[in-house]
Amino acid sequence: MQSKKWSVDACVGEAIISARYDRSEMVCSKTLYNYIDLGLMKIKNTDLPQKLRRTTKKAKVRKNKRVLGRSIEERDKAIESRQEFGHWEIDTVIGVKDKEDEVLLTLAERKTRHFITTKIDNKGKDAVMKAIAEIRQEYDDKFTEVFKTITGDNGQEFADLSTLELITSNNTKVYFTHPYSSFEKGTNERHNGLLRRFIPKGSPIGEYTVDDIAFIEDWCNMLPRKILGYKTPFELFEAELDTIYAA
């Protein structure tokens, strides 16, 4: 758990699907968490950052006049089910409050939980759109099949994001959450939390190399997920791409 920075549940799930041990030799995730609470293992709760971060506060939708484009309320309700591939959430992650420091642009796909993170020069809208253009170039004529929708917040860095609809002839739709409602793009928020295990708040992004960022991205995409039947985002994303490119 400590060496791979996996959760207790991810370790148990991976052990089950890989038949690493006989089931009679294993205990469930809940029992392991109880052992940790009782101090019966070397792992402590302080080694489980996600457990300490959990909150029971009720989310609230606050109002704000700034609206950059089509509201998430107009997004197809079927997207909530996560049954269809190609629906993404976008965000930025800063290290320090310094305009000279680089920023991370992150995207998470809702069905497979595939995570993309890339360094951009700053938190400006031009830097964001430059990164989007590079992603479009990577997927070329399949971009709109891989990126059917993108949902962001009302941060000024996404002021030009809606132009993506014009660029793609409206084949990629762009939506915006309600102001102060980050829970409406919880998939991306969850992944940003995973990223923070490697890049704590207050650590300059500029101190991390492109290889460092690629390692973190790979770690996130190779992490077995209970919600995915202990498969990895990488496996599921590649399967979706195979279907798209085979058509």
Side-chain angles (χ1 to χ4, degrees), residues 55-117:
T55 178
T56 57
K57 289 183 180 178
K58 189 174 181 180
K60 296 181 180 179
V61 174
R62 296 168 61 186
K63 294 183 178 180
N64 188 295
K65 293 182 179 179
R66 184 173 66 185
V67 178
L68 298 181
R70 188 184 289 111
S71 170
I72 193 173
E73 293 178 4
E74 301 178 52
R75 195 175 71 178
D76 190 336
K77 302 305 179 186
I79 294 175
E80 294 299 315
S81 70
R82 301 178 185 270
Q83 295 301 305
E84 183 182 49
F85 172 74
H87 303 290
W88 298 74
E89 298 170 2
I90 191 170
D91 201 4
T92 52
V93 174
I94 65 171
V96 293
K97 293 183 179 180
D98 182 349
K99 292 182 180 180
E100 300 300 318
D101 190 28
E102 293 173 300
V103 174
L104 293 179
L105 181 70
T106 62
L107 294 104
E109 201 280 318
R110 288 177 54 81
K111 179 181 179 182
T112 63
R113 274 67 171 185
H114 186 74
F115 191 51
I116 295 174
T117 179

Side-chain angles (χ1 to χ4, degrees), residues 160 167 219 222:
D160 288 347
I167 296 170
W219 180 89
M222 296 300 291

Side-chain angles (χ1 to χ4, degrees), residues 17 221 223-226 228-236:
I17 63 173
N221 289 326
L223 178 66
R225 312 289 178 87
K226 181 178 182 180
L228 302 177
Y230 294 108
K231 292 184 178 180
T232 68
F234 173 80
E235 292 177 79
L236 299 184

Side-chain angles (χ1 to χ4, degrees), residues 101-210:
D101 190 28
E102 293 173 300
V103 174
L104 293 179
L105 181 70
T106 62
L107 294 104
E109 201 280 318
R110 288 177 54 81
K111 179 181 179 182
T112 63
R113 274 67 171 185
H114 186 74
F115 191 51
I116 295 174
T117 179
T118 184
K119 290 176 75 172
I120 57 178
D121 293 336
N122 51 60
K123 205 178 178 182
K125 59 184 181 180
D126 291 341
V128 168
M129 294 310 295
K130 179 182 177 183
I132 294 293
E134 290 172 354
I135 294 173
R136 283 180 48 235
Q137 185 176 22
E138 178 181 353
Y139 290 98
D140 198 27
D141 62 336
K142 299 297 183 181
F143 176 81
T144 57
E145 294 181 63
V146 179
F147 293 82
K148 296 174 183 175
T149 71
I150 299 178
T151 300
D153 58 36
N154 286 276
Q156 197 56 39
E157 67 268 34
F158 298 128
D160 288 347
L161 192 59
S162 288
T163 62
L164 192 58
E165 295 187 348
L166 297 174
I167 296 170
T168 63
S169 301
N170 217 35
N171 287 315
T172 296
K173 298 283 199 309
V174 176
Y175 300 93
F176 294 91
T177 62
H178 296 94
Y180 310 109
S181 304
S182 59
F183 62 90
E184 292 181 332
K185 51 182 182 65
T187 302
N188 190 284
E189 291 293 318
R190 158 69 172 155
H191 283 77
N192 287 347
L194 294 176
L195 187 153
R196 285 297 190 191
R197 297 189 189 185
F198 299 89
I199 306 178
K201 291 182 179 180
S203 296
I205 301 298
E207 292 183 356
Y208 296 84
T209 67
V210 172

Side-chain angles (χ1 to χ4, degrees), residues 7-19 26 29 224 226 229-230:
S7 69
V8 171
D9 193 67
C11 291
V12 172
E14 192 277 337
I16 291 173
I17 63 173
S18 65
M26 297 178 59
S29 300
K226 181 178 182 180
Y230 294 108

